Structures are given as structure tokens and as C-alpha cells.
Amino acid sequence: MTGIPCALMRGGTSKGGIFLAEDLPAEPAARDDLLLRIMGSPDDRQIDGLGGAHPLTSKVGVVSLAGDDAADIDYLFLQVAVDKPVVSTSQTCGNILAAVAPFAIERGLVPAQGDATVVRVRMVNTGTVAALTVRTPGGEVTYDGDAEISGVPGTAAPVEVAVEPAAGALLPTGNPVDTIAGVEATLIDNGMKSVLVRAADLGVVGDEDPAALEGDADVVRRVAEIRAAAFPLMGIDGTPESTTTPKIVLLSAPAAGGAIRTRSFIPFRVHEAIGVLGAASIAAGLRVAGTVADGLAVLPPDGAPLRIEHPTGFLDLHVDPVPGDPGAVGETRVIRTARMIMDGRVHPRSSAVPTTKEHG
């Protein structure tokens, strides 16, 4: 039982297994079968694998050297469903992105360059390239530092993330507001396909705990209807059951000095914090005139970060405007942290289909 080389890492407010591509099967079906067995899916507790029984802790990053000079490494993100035998590549993840850059240095794919090393990462799921600055004092990655991010206890070394604009249309329909499933919504994609709606239009305040929203049958039903209606408008392939985008984000006026308050369905559970690229899409929605955020958002002075409030705190990020084009945005910049939790070998369960049993 030699196992498979694997690093268990926290990236931002997410956690998952990080692998070199060469250590996993190249054929997608075989790779996905293996990852389900590694993470312990399908099982509500993922008791027989690495998964943490929540979408935020059931993630995988696959890393390889980039195939061209546009990036240093390629990063494929896979969302492993907790309770279903599903592995999705329909989105990327900006939190796990913060982990793959130090991982690439640790694995020798990118040489350390003095006290800070820039790693150019191609997010294979979307084709977008991000530049991440990792602290490498003495030529080695450090995870120790004084950067704090909401949703993560303690402090760690900052990982500075700069993401180029998404290649596709910022507003897939060309409209700042569309009416879908009977609700006004902004369909937007600044790295994460998202549908922004006013919390009040779904009959909630916007300050509810994630569990309360997940337990509100009317809200869950309306979110599902909105999400299904957005699929053809956003050009998303697949079905609402098999694809993790778009995310549905409930917006309300800020309550703690930020620019906007959010609750994000990702897509069935409600995020305990917020995804980096989800926040980037929300921030773009604040910068574009005429969206559903108008009348709710409190924009900061020019040059100040946009503070996106979420259930466990906030996320600050900069989204550059494009001079002369109020309907576009430029680079997105944000600070994340990451940590190596375990570096070793993981032993997947056997390929036998798991049986459903009562947990005891």
C-alpha cells in the first residue's frame, strides 16, 4: 500500500487535497473515480476519506507545469460533491488558488526567487491567468505571518493574488438587470458566473445564518428556480444538478462598514464566508452602473478596497475600473493566506461501491 502523493492544504477559507497531475490518472473518468474514493464521497460525513463533509472542505487542486510561456503552472480545480458521486470541473476556485502557488514551489515546479516569489497560474477551468506572490524568505516557503482573513483563525503569511479580467463578457446578456424567474437579477462573470439578486426580493433580510437560509424551503425553491432560468442566458452547459455554477448571491445593504452584505448559495449550501472569484464578480457588479446593487451598495472612496461582507466577516479586494468604459473592469487584487496541513500519501478506499448504512 504505497498510497498516492498528496498535500492537504488550506487555501483562503477552503480546504482540499492538492496533487501533481502526474500522480493521478490522465483519463477523466478514472481520475474522478479515484478522487471520490480519496475524499470519501458519496457520504454525508465523508467519514472514509479526506473530505470534511462540506463543499468548502471537499475540494481538489491538480497542478502541472504550464504548457506555454503565459504561465508557470496549470491548475485544474475539481469540486467533489459530498453526498453524490459527482466531480465537477464547471468552475474554478480562488481560495484553493492561494494554495497551489506555494505547493508548486514546495514541489520544485517553480524555483523560489528571493524573499518573495511570483507564480503565474493558469486556471485551466476558465483559461484565466493569475499572478500570486508567495513569501519565500531564504528561498523557502513560509506559512507564518501576520495576515488575517475572516473565516480563518489566527494569522499567516499573505499570498497576494492578482487576477486578470475574465475573457468572456462581464455581463453575459449585455444587460445590467434582467428579470428571470420573476425576480430582477444581474447576471455577471468576473471569474465566477454569478447571479446577483436583492435579498429583500426573496423575502429575507440578508443577515440570516447560512443554516437558516438552507432550512428555508421557500428561499431554497426560489434560488433553484432563478438558477435554472439563468443557465441558457449565461451559456452554461450541463444541468443544475451536475454543474456548480452559477452561484446565486443575495445582496443587502452593508451592516458593518463594508460596501455590500452577501449570502452566497454555492449552489445548494450557503457559503460560510465567500469565494474569492465570487467576491470578484460581486465587486464588479458594484462597479457597473445600473445593477441590482444600486441603492444598496455604499462605495468607498477612489483607491480604497471594496469590502464585501459575508457571514463570518468580510473580504477586501480591489477591482480596477477601465478608463472610458464604465461597463468593464480590469485586474482584481486580493490578499489570501494558505497553509500546508499535511504532506504525505493518501490511501483511497477500495473501488467497491459503498453501501448506505446508518452512522453509529
Side-chain angles (χ1 to χ4, degrees), residues 12-244:
T13 54
S14 293
K15 184 169 65 176
I18 314 298
F19 299 85
L20 290 175
E22 65 192 46
D23 292 326
L24 296 175
E27 199 277 317
R31 176 201 66 204
D32 293 353
D33 172 74
L34 176 61
L35 292 176
L36 287 167
R37 291 186 281 122
I38 285 173
M39 300 304 287
S41 298
D43 176 64
D44 286 346
R45 294 194 299 159
Q46 292 180 312
I47 193 64
D48 206 27
L50 290 182
H54 192 282
L56 300 183
T57 54
S58 186
K59 299 185 173 187
V60 168
V62 181
V63 178
S64 60
L65 282 171
D68 56 44
D69 293 336
D72 298 311
I73 62 169
D74 286 342
Y75 150 54
L76 175 67
F77 173 72
L78 301 108
Q79 180 70 60
V80 181
V82 174
D83 58 349
K84 299 179 178 66
V86 173
V87 179
S88 175
T89 60
S90 64
Q91 68 167 83
T92 190
C93 177
N95 275 305
I96 293 297
L97 171 67
V100 300
F103 173 85
I105 300 171
E106 297 261 31
R107 286 291 191 269
L109 300 183
V110 178
Q113 304 159 0
D115 290 341
T117 301
V118 176
V119 182
R120 297 170 302 152
V121 182
R122 178 187 290 106
M123 291 177 271
V124 174
N125 307 69
T126 62
T128 302
V129 174
L132 284 80
T133 303
V134 179
R135 298 295 184 266
T136 51
E140 295 185 357
V141 173
T142 183
Y143 299 101
D144 295 330
D146 58 5
E148 295 183 67
I149 62 173
S150 296
V152 177
T155 64
V159 177
E160 297 158 17
V161 183
V163 185
E164 66 181 20
L170 180 65
L171 300 172
T173 67
N175 304 318
V177 174
D178 292 281
T179 298
I180 62 172
V183 175
E184 287 191 334
T186 295
L187 282 60
I188 196 162
D189 182 6
N190 187 33
M192 182 65 68
K193 291 181 171 62
S194 301
V195 179
L196 314 182
V197 299
R198 302 180 190 95
D201 288 346
L202 295 190
V204 296
V205 175
D207 65 351
E208 292 82 2
D209 290 335
L213 289 174
E214 292 170 0
D216 189 322
D218 287 339
V219 170
V220 170
R221 175 182 57 81
R222 294 293 289 123
V223 165
E225 292 171 350
I226 294 165
R227 186 165 177 263
F231 263 62
L233 297 175
M234 302 191 80
I236 299 174
D237 295 328
T239 67
E241 294 74 26
S242 64
T243 305
T244 57

